[in-house]
């Protein structure tokens, strides 16, 4: 034990950030998702799908329906943060100061942090291939509409653009008030056949997963069983983000099923 | 602020475990990886590849060569823990007691925890499809050889078997002493054409990534740039594991590039 405590604790990099921003494993996972995304999108565009991958109004988790494509041109919809962009600048500030998420600081980061980002591994190559095939790339983010120019600059600086507010970039409060993304997906679907979506949170695919009454285990069950299980890697593409978001919820009873627990038999004496 | 501190701190579920074991996002990511794995394996088996996806002896990170397949029958190689199996029992014990990894407790878990596991989402379905196509499924794990029977029981109980020690299950110290997995991959490659591998750590693909002199950023760079970047989702399949392992390393200088940092301009006064 040290003789005296250090004057201020030096924060360590949280494990989730080590994995997402620092590890070969996190980088490989992102590249893998974008390889799948690119291959799926190019193949889907060749086969002209009947339905888009966006849920139609009136869908429920038990009975989803997909918006028919008609003859509309093809598009893909991606979330921005930790889907297309690594927010290295903001997360460095948060972790090095040892603080949690702060909406006011994030807003200042949107305004001034456009250079402190990098593309998620594999994203720039995949989006280039998708655009080269004549498919429109649209971003659907809960960044603030008032910072649209700076967010477009962040995407373009990272090699992920173009992004034009109201055309290929939809932000919080666009189309309808609030952070729900379904109204923006519906607006995009009126003009385009959406053949794939990518995100790091279930709300990047449907707001149905964000209904407050859904428990943590029920939300996992809904995402991982029929009818949605088949969509992962087949139109819906998940980027792994263990750093923030609604995925990081739940106590022991939510995360560990009662019938899958184990207790060290040498337990107390083993200490 | 409460009048008195609670008698003992109740540990919270670590964020990485919330994501991996509790979230729909983590479950979706696993299913997506296994969809890609299954589709790739079935297509590769139809096209009879010239080379396996296992690196040949003498390979370096700069100049990898792959073992030629000849006419050997097809196999796939998977890691076990957090690749095929969710170790819910062990991680519950670790997190609920608020302790870190302990090799002695893990060894007791191998011996007595075979019922406290679940398949990783998507794994059981994918392995069934692979075996139905006549392809051999081989596990390569650093679980202890002395607990082979219990580890085989864990895999089989989770619907991922069969696993036979020395035939389709290779463990720590098999073939050669130590935790390196390359000698076991070489032994499998003498009998089979390995058309895909799956793991949650880079060492599940090549021991070259575990060379101690490789810095955290160099290790990420090696995994995410040529010649390895193309393999993710195309023969090498990464399962996202932000809970443990060599992926969770690095200080601020390792994880956050110097040119991608940002500091809140309202900084100190903003507190």
């Amino acid at each position: 034990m040290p003789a005296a405590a250090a004057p201020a604790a030096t924060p360590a990099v949280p494990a989730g950030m080590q994995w997402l921003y620092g590890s070969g494993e996190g980088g490989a996972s992102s590249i893998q998702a974008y390889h799948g995304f690119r291959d799926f999108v190019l193949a889907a565009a060749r086969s002209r799908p009947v339905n888009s991958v966006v849920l139609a109004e009136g869908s429920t988790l038990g009975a989803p329906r997909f918006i028919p494509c008609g003859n509309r041109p093809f598009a893909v919809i991606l979330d921005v943060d930790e889907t297309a962009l690594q927010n290295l600048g903001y997360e460095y500030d948060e972790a090095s100061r040892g603080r949690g998420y702060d909406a006011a600081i994030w807003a200042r980061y949107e305004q001034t942090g456009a250079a402190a980002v990098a593309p998620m591994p594999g994203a720039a190559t995949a989006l280039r291939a998708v655009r080269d095939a004549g498919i429109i790339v649209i971003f659907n983010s809960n960044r603030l509409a008032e910072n649209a120019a700076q967010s477009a600059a962040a995407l373009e600086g990272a090699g992920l653009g173009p992004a034009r507010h109201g055309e290929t970039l939809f932000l919080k409060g666009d189309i309808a008030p609030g952070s729900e993304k379904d109204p923006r997906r519906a607006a995009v679907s009126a003009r385009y056949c959406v053949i794939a979506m990518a995100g790091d949170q279930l709300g990047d695919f449907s707001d149905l997963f964000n209904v407050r009454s859904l428990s943590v285990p029920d939300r996992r069950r809904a995402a991982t069983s029929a009818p949605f299980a088949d969509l992962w890697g087949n139109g819906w593409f998940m980027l792994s983000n263990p750093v923030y978001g609604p995925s990081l919820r739940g106590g022991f009873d939510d995360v560990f099923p009662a019938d899958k627990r184990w207790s060290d038999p040498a337990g107390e004496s083993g200490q």
Side-chain angles (χ1 to χ4, degrees), chain A:
Chain A
M1 189 180 284
T10 305
V13 181
M17 294 190 196
Q18 291 176 317
W19 187 86
L20 183 59
Y21 304 123
S23 77
E25 285 81 356
S29 176
S30 180
I31 290 175
Q32 178 171 293
Y34 271 107
H35 278 163
F37 175 83
R38 176 200 63 193
D39 293 348
F40 179 89
V41 166
L42 299 182
R46 284 193 294 268
S47 71
R48 178 148 283 285
V50 173
N51 287 326
S52 92
V53 297
V54 173
L55 296 190
E57 216 183 317
S59 288
T60 64
L61 289 178
R65 289 177 305 109
F66 293 90
I67 296 176
C69 272
N71 287 316
R72 293 191 291 285
F74 296 132
V76 295
I77 300 179
L78 290 89
D79 172 50
V80 172
D81 297 308
E82 276 54 46
T83 295
L85 286 180
Q86 303 182 69
N87 287 294
L88 295 164
Y90 177 83
E91 300 299 343
Y92 171 78
D93 187 66
E94 182 176 298
S96 62
R97 293 180 198 244
R99 60 167 178 81
Y101 177 75
D102 181 308
I105 300 178
W106 175 266
R108 289 194 288 273
Y109 172 72
E110 286 188 12
Q111 291 158 12
T112 66
V117 301
M120 286 287 286
T125 316
L127 293 190
R128 203 177 305 125
V130 165
R131 287 191 177 103
D132 284 350
I135 297 155
I136 305 295
V137 174
I138 294 172
F139 298 99
N140 185 3
S141 165
N142 278 327
R143 287 182 170 224
L144 303 173
E146 67 203 64
N147 299 329
Q150 293 90 334
S151 290
L155 287 162
E156 290 171 9
L160 300 166
R164 283 179 222 279
H165 190 204
E167 296 180 23
T168 53
L169 176 63
F170 291 87
L171 299 166
K172 188 170 182 172
D174 287 349
I175 308 297
S179 59
E180 286 73 27
K181 293 183 167 182
D182 281 346
R184 296 172 235 155
R185 281 184 280 262
V188 170
S189 297
R191 292 189 54 189
Y192 296 102
C193 166
V194 178
I195 55 179
M197 297 195 283
D200 65 316
Q201 306 290 339
L202 292 175
D204 294 325
F205 305 93
S206 168
D207 290 330
L208 290 172
F209 295 109
N210 285 338
V211 170
R212 283 281 161 184
S213 58
L214 207 58
S215 72
V216 167
D218 283 348
R219 188 171 174 275
R220 178 165 170 111
R221 205 170 295 119
T224 58
S225 49
F228 296 105
D230 280 350
L231 282 162
W232 302 115
N234 292 309
W236 289 9
F237 291 84
M238 182 63 76
L239 279 293
S240 298
N241 175 8
V243 172
Y244 63 81
S247 56
L248 307 186
R249 282 190 188 150
F252 286 97
D253 288 345
D254 297 313
V255 173
F256 295 96
D259 64 338
K260 296 295 179 189
R261 294 181 183 180
W262 176 84
S263 194
D264 178 19
E268 302 312 313
S269 63
Q271 289 293 329

